[in-house]
């Protein structure tokens, strides 16, 4: 009996050891699948995935799809492609600050409209951005500390998004369609200037100039045509005068009939 118990004990021990090894291997494989410098954790009951300062040059693909908070800040990501976060249906917070993001494709945040409530794009390289980039997005957005071009496009964008409280002062004109606005806070500028109205006036003026140009061309052609005909008629009359009497009268009658 003691021998049988010893065999059973060894079997149980081996089984537990095998289970532990399998669990460890599973954990190691899971960790190995993440980009270097990235790791999952749990913060305030929310599943978090951190890739801060991980030297990333693109949005990682192997982010757990049950992630609630995603930190991709302080990396080297240059742009956000379409459907960059489509496999993250539970994402609530997204931090993309302190990257090199200069462009955001339309549809980059597709799939996040209903649940994302915080999006940080501060301290990047955004100069201009279409309002369609945030299509249907309800999140609070931070767009401060970017080298913005202040124009109608930025005005339409700002009117579309819901800015994080206190972040609007950081949206400053790095360049502008009107030089006197450079270095000023954009919301301060649009309190007195309607960039889109200025753009519309410029477009209207351009259309008027174009129409006037075409009109002037038509008038010039008509004047040229009339003068050319007058010159031809004058030469023909001089020619008729140089003919003998009978032939001249015949030619004049023919000319008058033709004119009539």
């Amino acid at each position: 009996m003691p021998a049988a118990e010893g065999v059973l004990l060894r079997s149980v021990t081996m089984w537990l050891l095998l289970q532990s090894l399998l669990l460890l291997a599973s954990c190691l494989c899971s960790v190995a699948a993440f980009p270097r410098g990235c790791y999952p954790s749990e913060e305030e009951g929310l599943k978090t995935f951190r890739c801060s300062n991980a030297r990333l040059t693109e949005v990682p693909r192997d982010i757990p799809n049950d992630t609630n908070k995603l930190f991709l800040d302080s990396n080297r990501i240059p742009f956000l492609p379409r459907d960059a976060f489509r496999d993250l249906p539970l994402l609530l917070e997204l931090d993309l600050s302190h990257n090199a993001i200069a462009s955001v494709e339309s549809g980059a945040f597709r799939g996040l409209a209903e649940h994302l409530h915080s999006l940080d794009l501060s301290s990047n390289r955004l100069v201009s951005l279409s309002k369609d980039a945030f299509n249907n997005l309800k999140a609070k957005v931070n767009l401060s500390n970017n080298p913005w071009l202040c124009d109608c496009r930025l005005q339409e964008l700002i009117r579309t998004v819901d800015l994080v409280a206190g972040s609007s002062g950081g949206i400053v004109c790095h360049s502008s369609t009107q030089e006197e606005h450079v270095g000023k806070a954009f919301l301060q500028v649009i309190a007195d200037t309607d960039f889109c109205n200025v753009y519309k006036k410029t477009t209207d003026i351009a259309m008027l100039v174009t129409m006037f140009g075409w009109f002037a061309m038509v008038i010039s052609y008509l004047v040229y045509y009339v003068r050319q005909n007058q010159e031809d008629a004058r030469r023909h009359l001089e020619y008729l005068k140089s003919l003998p009497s009978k032939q001249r009268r015949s030619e004049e009658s023919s000319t008058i009939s033709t004119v009539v």
Side-chain angles (χ1 to χ4, degrees), residues 179-223:
E179 193 65 29
E180 66 269 20
H181 297 146
V182 174
K184 295 181 180 179
F186 185 65
L187 290 191
Q188 175 188 345
V189 170
I190 60 175
D192 302 316
T193 304
D194 187 340
F195 284 94
C196 296
N197 191 42
V198 169
Y199 174 77
K200 185 177 182 300
K201 286 181 179 178
T202 303
T203 304
D204 291 345
I205 290 171
M207 290 180 65
L208 285 173
V209 170
T210 303
M211 290 175 65
F212 179 78
W214 279 104
F215 183 73
M217 287 177 62
V218 171
I219 294 299
S220 299
Y221 175 76
L222 289 174
V223 170

Side-chain angles (χ1 to χ4, degrees), residues 98 121-125 142-148 167 170-172:
H98 297 90
L121 282 166
S122 64
S123 301
N124 276 283
R125 298 179 185 174
N142 189 345
L143 297 172
S144 61
N145 299 319
N146 281 282
W148 292 109
S167 69
I171 303 175
V172 177

Side-chain angles (χ1 to χ4, degrees), residues 102-116:
S103 64
V104 178
E105 288 189 0
S106 179
F109 303 109
R110 186 160 50 190
L112 304 181
E114 295 301 321
H115 44 84
L116 189 71

Side-chain angles (χ1 to χ4, degrees), residues 147-181:
W148 292 109
L149 165 63
C150 290
D151 60 359
C152 179
R153 201 177 192 199
L154 181 59
Q155 182 172 314
E156 289 181 337
L157 174 68
I158 296 301
R159 287 175 175 174
T160 302
V161 300
D162 187 7
L163 297 175
V164 171
S167 69
S168 60
I171 303 175
V172 177
C173 300
H174 185 267
S175 57
S176 175
T177 52
Q178 299 179 35
E179 193 65 29
E180 66 269 20
H181 297 146

Side-chain angles (χ1 to χ4, degrees), residues 8-214:
L8 179 60
L9 182 60
R10 283 195 299 271
S11 298
V12 172
T13 302
M14 291 295 293
W15 183 81
L16 291 173
L17 181 59
L18 180 60
Q19 289 295 316
S20 298
L21 289 172
L22 289 173
L23 181 61
L24 179 61
S26 175
C27 291
L28 288 174
C29 288
S30 178
V31 171
F34 300 144
R36 185 176 180 180
C38 299
Y39 62 92
S41 64
E42 189 166 322
E43 299 178 8
E44 300 175 350
L46 297 175
K47 292 188 176 181
T48 304
F49 193 73
R50 285 191 174 272
C51 288
S52 304
N53 262 312
R55 299 184 179 181
L56 298 176
T57 55
E58 63 180 4
V59 176
R61 298 179 182 178
D62 299 317
I63 302 171
N65 58 14
D66 60 349
T67 297
N68 303 128
K69 298 171 69 175
L70 176 58
F71 292 87
L72 298 174
D73 56 300
S74 303
N75 283 290
R76 304 170 184 173
I77 300 172
F79 79 102
L80 300 178
R82 184 187 300 272
D83 294 323
F85 308 98
R86 65 177 180 181
D87 296 325
L88 302 173
L90 303 178
L91 196 61
L92 302 174
E93 297 182 23
L94 176 57
D95 189 347
L96 291 159
S97 64
H98 297 90
N99 272 281
I101 299 171
S103 64
V104 178
E105 288 189 0
S106 179
F109 303 109
R110 186 160 50 190
L112 304 181
E114 295 301 321
H115 44 84
L116 189 71
H117 63 71
S118 176
L119 172 61
D120 194 344
L121 282 166
S122 64
S123 301
N124 276 283
R125 298 179 185 174
L126 294 169
V127 174
S128 184
L129 198 58
S130 169
K131 62 180 181 180
D132 295 334
F134 302 118
N135 198 25
N136 299 321
L137 206 62
K138 299 174 183 176
K140 295 280 188 180
V141 183
N142 189 345
L143 297 172
S144 61
N145 299 319
N146 281 282
W148 292 109
L149 165 63
C150 290
D151 60 359
C152 179
R153 201 177 192 199
L154 181 59
Q155 182 172 314
E156 289 181 337
L157 174 68
I158 296 301
R159 287 175 175 174
T160 302
V161 300
D162 187 7
L163 297 175
V164 171
S167 69
S168 60
I171 303 175
V172 177
C173 300
H174 185 267
S175 57
S176 175
T177 52
Q178 299 179 35
E179 193 65 29
E180 66 269 20
H181 297 146
V182 174
K184 295 181 180 179
F186 185 65
L187 290 191
Q188 175 188 345
V189 170
I190 60 175
D192 302 316
T193 304
D194 187 340
F195 284 94
C196 296
N197 191 42
V198 169
Y199 174 77
K200 185 177 182 300
K201 286 181 179 178
T202 303
T203 304
D204 291 345
I205 290 171
M207 290 180 65
L208 285 173
V209 170
T210 303
M211 290 175 65
F212 179 78
W214 279 104

